[in-house]
Amino acid sequence: MNLPAELVSLLRACQRAAALTGAGVSQESGVPTFRDSQSGLWAQYRPEDLATPEAFRRHPKLVWDWYAMRRARADSVAPNPGHYALVAMARQIADFTLITQNVDGLHARAGSPNVIELHGNIRRVKCFDCGKPAAEWHGDGQSVPTCAACGGLLRPDVVWFGERLPPEALEAAWAATRACQVFFSIGTSGLVQPAASLAHVAKEGGATVVEINLEPTPLTPWVDFFLRGKSGQILPALVTAVWG
Ligand code: APR
């Protein structure tokens, strides 16, 4: 693979980097994107029917079942070479922050330390009323499991449309983005805020911005390096080219 020599030497000297990942990174593991999950039985619903607090209030069981299906799918797939290359990068770059919009937990399963999960994690569950995380839950298949502390309904610990991103995650993401020398935007369409602004913040702070995507995105005209292709191929090739 032909990787820019200038980027390779830049990464060899890099001390602080941050990477933002999106659905494209999990695509090669076979995780369907949000929209692709709405197939079969689920095709009749709009995102607002499945991924908002209002939807959960109206039809908690419907929303719970949809996430249970997505959780089962995420559990049945494995991290791909792109995930593992990001683990390798974290070992090579002194200060490396991985920020993800993915809720599938595959970065952590691959072994990436301290992943900032901007949109939560489908494998965690919390109480809809009191917010307390639930380490385990028991479903009878008929109704939504309830919180051991307050009896409220349990929900997936993900960020739904219309909800705020977890403030600590967001603050940590901004801080790493402002401080980095190299910023990667990988497998994300760059359309959803505030993740979409991170690359611009990095650039304004003087970082070199590298985008890895199958297709150009609204970010592409702004980046310093656009590596077009599959993240599961480009990332391992980059790690090998830079660190051998
Ligand atoms: N390698 C690299 N890029 C890829 C690959 C791949 N193998 N496969 C797909 N892509 C790119 C697509 O070209 C697209 O630009 O990944 C991007 C995926 O875009 P989206 O599906 O919009 O995913 P993402 O950017 O993560 O969406 C952000 O929006 O739907 C909400 O909350 C959801 O977290 C999600 C957020």
Side-chain angles (χ1 to χ4, degrees):
M1 188 174 296
N2 224 349
L3 294 164
E6 201 190 325
L7 175 61
V8 170
S9 42
L10 195 77
L11 283 172
R12 251 180 223 143
C14 177
Q15 295 291 311
R16 287 185 308 282
L20 170 70
T21 65
V25 170
S26 291
Q27 188 268 340
E28 289 159 81
S29 289
V31 177
T33 60
F34 186 90
R35 284 186 187 278
D36 289 346
S37 305
Q38 287 178 273
S39 55
L41 265 180
W42 302 99
Q44 56 182 305
Y45 300 105
R46 297 164 304 161
E48 307 85 279
D49 298 328
L50 297 168
T52 62
E54 294 72 33
F56 189 75
R57 270 191 210 100
R58 260 197 316 270
H59 299 297
K61 183 67 168 59
L62 176 79
V63 173
W64 177 268
D65 285 349
W66 190 59
Y67 278 93
M69 178 276 289
R70 293 181 62 201
R71 188 181 305 121
R73 278 205 202 164
D75 282 348
S76 70
V77 303
N80 67 60
H83 293 107
Y84 290 114
L86 288 163
V87 179
M89 265 194 202
R91 288 203 196 100
Q92 298 292 346
I93 299 175
D95 185 349
F96 182 81
T97 303
L98 183 55
I99 308 160
T100 189
Q101 299 169 92
N102 298 341
V103 296
D104 54 37
L106 285 176
H107 285 303
R109 274 174 66 195
S112 279
N114 311 320
V115 184
I116 299 177
E117 293 175 323
L118 286 181
H119 293 172
N121 188 320
I122 204 168
R123 301 167 109 211
R124 285 194 312 262
V125 158
K126 66 179 181 184
C127 177
F128 185 69
D129 291 338
C130 74
K132 193 170 187 289
E136 51 181 42
W137 63 90
H138 305 284
D140 56 10
Q142 303 301 312
S143 47
V144 176
T146 51
C147 172
C150 79
L153 296 179
L154 294 181
R155 58 162 283 180
D157 191 0
V158 298
V159 178
W160 280 332
F161 294 108
E163 290 188 314
R164 288 177 53 207
L165 272 65
E168 321 77 54
L170 199 53
E171 191 37 58
W174 286 118
T177 301
R178 280 192 294 260
C180 70
Q181 298 162 312
V182 179
F183 182 91
F184 291 91
S185 176
I186 312 168
T188 174
S189 56
L191 295 172
V192 176
Q193 290 297 351
S197 348
L198 288 175
H200 292 284
V201 168
K203 198 155 171 66
E204 279 160 21
T208 299
V209 177
V210 183
E211 180 178 38
I212 301 174
N213 201 303
L214 274 181
E215 308 287 344
T217 72
L219 183 67
T220 309
W222 298 84
V223 302
D224 298 289
F225 296 97
F226 175 52
L227 308 180
R228 187 171 187 165
K230 294 185 171 187
S231 53
Q233 291 171 358
I234 293 179
L235 282 169
L238 195 59
V239 167
T240 304
V242 177
W243 296 286

